[in-house]
Amino acid sequence: MKSMICVSLLLFLAACDTPQRIRDPYPTINVNDTPTPEISGTPTTNTNPEDPTTPSTDPTGFEACDLDTPLTGSTSPSIGSFKICQSTIAEAKFKLKMTVSDSVNGTCFVPINIDTTSKATSIGTAECVHNEAAKVYEFNLTKDQEKSINGVMALKAYALSDYVKCMSAKVTFLNWYAPNCVNDQNCVQAADNYAFNTCNQFVIMHQSNYKEVRF
């Protein structure tokens, strides 16, 4: 699985359309007993966490979501194991449960699109939280492209900046280093090489700090 993730990252190259925005990597995911329409920048406390033994009556597409059964391979050394469900009727709505707490650094989730060649592209804004083990989080992910959300990149907050650099590397090269070389094959190849090296550096530095989840 790790090699597939690395290939997915390193083969993105021309997949990026625009550099991605980053939200403040601190508690932005609400912990609530009922769905909320927007993500608030103010952390909240769940005084009545969901009882995992209670059958779901949630009408928002999470009826089949079993948060007590982690997804196969949904673990990394620093993040720990977790389960994240995507609503079956609203692609931007998610439920999350983690087995590890992190009140210092936090964990971020980025909406991604994975194409038929396993190429992953970041397509929206990161949402981050100082996660508490065994709590249920319900939140929305915001995309800024027309591609569908069929995956999520989970990563530690301190790895987010390097991930964004990877995802936007080719666009950055073309915009800042060679803005007039789009039609020059040698120059485009140089941009591809720059992107490959940037993503390879991310993989080397953070191989234990991220996990790609496919839905």
Side-chain angles (χ1 to χ4, degrees):
M1 177 62 77
K2 181 182 291 184
S3 61
M4 183 178 295
I5 293 171
C6 294
V7 169
S8 178
L9 281 171
L10 298 178
L11 290 182
F12 88 96
L13 297 179
C16 297
D17 296 324
T18 57
Q20 304 303 314
R21 294 170 289 132
I22 311 174
R23 286 194 179 181
D24 187 20
Y26 292 100
T28 56
I29 296 178
N30 282 331
V31 186
N32 290 310
D33 297 324
T34 56
T36 54
E38 295 180 349
I39 296 296
S40 170
T42 303
T44 61
T45 301
N46 190 353
T47 57
N48 184 26
E50 293 183 9
D51 182 354
T53 64
T54 302
S56 174
T57 57
D58 192 338
T60 57
F62 296 109
E63 294 85 351
C65 177
D66 180 5
L67 291 175
D68 291 313
T69 304
L71 291 170
T72 302
S74 60
T75 184
S76 78
S78 61
I79 297 174
S81 62
F82 62 94
K83 177 65 176 284
I84 184 168
C85 297
Q86 183 180 33
S87 170
T88 58
I89 60 175
E91 67 167 2
K93 294 179 70 67
F94 295 86
K95 275 193 173 184
L96 167 73
K97 189 174 184 179
M98 307 184 72
T99 60
V100 175
S101 296
D102 184 353
S103 61
V104 177
N105 297 299
T107 308
C108 299
F109 298 87
V110 182
I112 60 176
N113 175 269
I114 304 172
D115 68 15
T116 56
T117 66
S118 295
K119 183 187 301 181
T121 306
S122 170
I123 59 172
T125 306
E127 293 288 354
C128 304
V129 66
H130 281 141
N131 45 287
E132 295 184 44
K135 279 196 173 182
V136 175
Y137 296 85
E138 185 168 344
F139 61 100
N140 294 336
L141 287 178
T142 303
K143 66 178 184 178
D144 50 24
Q145 298 182 36
E146 293 301 318
K147 298 175 182 178
S148 63
I149 302 174
N150 59 8
V152 169
M153 175 62 81
L155 68 168
K156 302 306 294 182
Y158 49 74
L160 181 60
S161 178
D162 289 333
Y163 175 68
V164 172
K165 289 178 182 177
C166 163
M167 288 288 99
S168 59
K170 183 171 182 176
V171 171
T172 297
F173 184 95
L174 294 175
N175 286 346
W176 294 99
Y177 297 106
N180 299 315
C181 83
V182 176
N183 297 318
D184 184 330
Q185 187 56 44
N186 290 331
C187 190
V188 172
Q189 184 60 54
D192 287 341
N193 293 340
Y194 174 79
F196 180 90
N197 291 333
T198 302
C199 288
N200 190 48
Q201 191 65 25
F202 169 81
V203 171
I204 292 172
M205 291 178 60
H206 299 292
Q207 57 185 314
S208 299
N209 300 322
Y210 70 88
K211 189 67 183 179
E212 182 181 285
V213 178
R214 304 176 179 215
F215 298 112

